[in-house]
Amino acid sequence: MHQDADAASAPTDARAPLAGVPVALKLNIATTAMPTDCGSRILEGYVSPYEATVTRKLRAAGAVVFAKTNMDEFAMGSSNEHSAWGPVRNPVDPERVPGGSSGGSAAAVAAGIVRIALGSETGGSVRQPASFCGLTGVKPTYGRVPRYGLVAFASSLDHVAVFGKEVDDAALGLQVIAGHDPRDATSVDRPVPDYRAEAGKPLKGLVVGRPREYFPSSLDPRVVELCDRALDRLKAQGAEVRDVSLPNTDLAIPVYYIIAPAEASSNLARFDGVRYGARRTGDGLAGMYEATRSRGFGPEVTRRILLGTYVLSAGYYDAYYRRAQEVRELITRDFANVFASGVHVLLTPTTPTPAFRIGAVSDPYAMYLNDIFTATANLAGVPAMSVPMGLIEGLPIGAQLIANHFDESTMFRAAYALERALGAEAHS
């Protein structure tokens, strides 16, 4: 974790919403006083000449941005084992992963170093670590939070997202960083509601959907039991629970792992030893490119660049990338149909299992399946969050709440109610 020695002495306005509150940022969010190296040797020592919009918003709100946190290299990973600076350990059990790719930010909150931290989400990289570490993690609607200054992985999927020790911390963090930014072409200009005003609101009239595709027969029955307990607690507070269907859910992982690597291949082409980061010598210009990229990128990033380059290549673009975008539209339509039917929020597991041991998952496909319940929200651009719902063999696991586009308020209303209803049960 990189720390800014001067941050603690920065003046703050006592009336600001985050006055004096220490906040940590993932290594792919630009700051001018600390490295923005994305957990990669190709950017070793790189300090950005400008700061991200979210960094500026935090400072304007009085926050002390005092540390940068480790991450899977270029945000490509589900365990935080793929950083050039070594793995992050889960404070709940140091022999286990904290989740990825924003595992460093999750660990900072779980260890009590900060109450609020920012990460990034491309396929579940905040919600999955939040589940593994017993935290609240919120991915807003695509376009709700500016991405200016977030180092791009997959531009149509990337979000800046928030960790909080509790729901209220995450609500406050999102409140501060949300809003329009003309420097981000995907940023949406619409009012930001008061998310904290949702605390304590009654659930009468709220319809909660239970998507059957997120509860397959192969899912650990203990996860199902905890989700059903959470649904029962919401029902006891006046919510209505309905079974619903999102029929194209099983296509999310193959679609995600075509679109994300394709966009990564394009975005990471700029890291060539000429404009950014470390340069390695080689035989001529082509040799320099090859040496820089082969020694600068780790194996997981290399794997995804190669996959992405392949699906974008002549003769394969239509068969893979274009087809994946068409199926992505079907996944988005599934959510639209469910919300149009009168359902306000969905409740699912965040992850199929609790945190696994460091080194326990070596097969890339098995690792990718950790995103099976989270990637859909990134593909559809809808807001989603993870809230602690209980323990399995002493390890935390989260309930995922998903709402319609720009309806984070309803999602927070359900999250506050669930946190209140479960109480200590969420951590036992």
Side-chain angles (χ1 to χ4, degrees):
M1 183 162 64
H2 300 278
Q3 289 185 297
D4 181 357
D6 298 324
S9 61
T12 60
D13 183 344
R15 296 166 296 179
L18 289 175
V21 175
V23 176
L25 305 184
K26 190 174 178 179
L27 274 170
N28 60 349
I29 298 173
T31 54
T32 56
M34 292 171 279
T36 303
D37 61 35
C38 299
S40 179
R41 294 202 179 279
I42 206 164
L43 283 177
E44 186 169 359
Y46 175 74
V47 177
S48 173
Y50 67 96
E51 64 181 9
T53 299
V54 293
T55 307
R56 177 179 54 80
K57 282 174 167 277
L58 288 169
R59 291 190 189 279
V64 178
V65 181
F66 87 110
K68 301 290 284 288
T69 58
N70 200 358
M71 58 182 282
D72 283 304
E73 185 181 8
F74 281 100
M76 299 182 194
S78 300
S79 64
N80 226 140
E81 296 172 283
H82 299 296
S83 170
W85 322 129
V88 175
R89 295 181 179 271
N90 191 329
V92 177
D93 179 350
E95 297 303 312
R96 295 180 184 269
V97 303
S101 62
S102 306
S105 289
V109 177
I113 298 170
V114 293
R115 292 191 66 84
I116 297 172
L118 298 192
S120 67
E121 269 251 13
T122 307
S125 290
V126 163
R127 285 165 290 151
Q128 187 244 33
S131 179
F132 282 3
C133 293
L135 309 171
T136 297
V138 183
K139 181 199 83 66
T141 306
Y142 186 80
R144 173 66 89 184
V145 172
R147 293 185 298 115
Y148 179 79
L150 172 70
V151 179
F153 164 11
S155 299
S156 75
L157 299 165
D158 291 344
H159 302 65
V160 178
V162 184
F163 290 103
K165 190 72 171 179
E166 298 174 351
V167 172
D168 198 59
D169 300 317
L172 176 57
L174 183 59
Q175 189 78 47
V176 166
I177 66 172
H180 180 244
D181 180 5
R183 293 173 296 184
D184 176 4
T186 64
S187 175
V188 176
D189 189 4
R190 59 189 297 165
V192 178
D194 182 354
Y195 301 129
R196 302 178 82 192
E198 301 302 314
K201 283 190 176 180
L203 293 191
K204 186 174 176 58
L206 186 78
V207 180
V208 182
R210 183 185 189 274
R212 61 178 63 97
E213 291 80 10
Y214 287 71
F215 294 89
S217 59
S218 58
L219 183 62
D220 187 330
R222 296 172 296 180
V223 177
V224 176
E225 182 180 349
L226 288 173
C227 284
D228 287 341
R229 182 178 74 174
L231 287 165
D232 287 342
R233 294 291 190 276
L234 293 178
K235 193 185 302 183
Q237 294 190 67
E240 176 190 342
V241 175
R242 294 182 192 170
D243 286 331
V244 298
S245 177
L246 298 165
N248 292 292
T249 297
D250 64 340
L251 301 174
I253 291 298
V255 165
Y256 176 84
Y257 281 99
I258 290 173
I259 294 173
E263 295 184 6
S265 171
S266 176
N267 279 325
L268 270 63
R270 72 193 71 177
F271 301 106
D272 54 12
V274 176
R275 290 162 288 184
Y276 300 96
R279 177 185 299 184
R280 313 295 181 185
T281 58
D283 185 12
L285 182 63
M288 185 273 289
Y289 284 161
E290 181 180 353
T292 296
R293 289 170 67 83
S294 62
R295 293 170 62 187
F297 290 134
E300 182 60 31
V301 173
T302 301
R303 180 184 295 115
R304 297 199 197 192
I305 290 174
L306 291 172
L307 177 60
T309 302
Y310 176 80
V311 302
L312 290 176
S313 60
Y316 295 101
Y317 178 92
D318 286 345
Y320 292 103
Y321 187 75
R322 187 169 68 85
R323 183 72 59 85
Q325 291 287 17
E326 291 171 350
V327 177
R328 179 183 187 174
E329 180 57 33
L330 296 178
I331 293 169
T332 303
R333 198 177 305 163
D334 283 349
F335 283 107
N337 291 339
V338 166
F339 292 127
S341 73
V343 172
H344 299 109
V345 66
L346 304 171
L347 189 146
T348 80
T350 306
T351 57
T353 66
F356 47 88
R357 292 187 180 279
I358 293 173
V361 180
S362 57
D363 176 65
Y365 182 68
M367 185 69 77
Y368 298 164
L369 288 177
N370 281 282
D371 301 330
I372 195 166
F373 297 142
T374 55
T376 49
N378 295 82
L379 290 166
V382 294
M385 65 189 294
S386 182
V387 181
M389 67 172 176
L391 303 180
I392 295 177
E393 295 180 0
L395 299 170
I397 194 158
Q400 178 176 227
L401 296 166
I402 306 172
N404 204 357
H405 291 101
F406 298 102
D407 195 13
E408 288 90 355
S409 291
T410 298
M411 185 174 72
F412 273 111
R413 180 182 166 199
Y416 274 116
L418 184 58
E419 181 181 63
R420 183 173 62 248
L422 288 175
E425 289 181 295
H427 302 281
S428 63

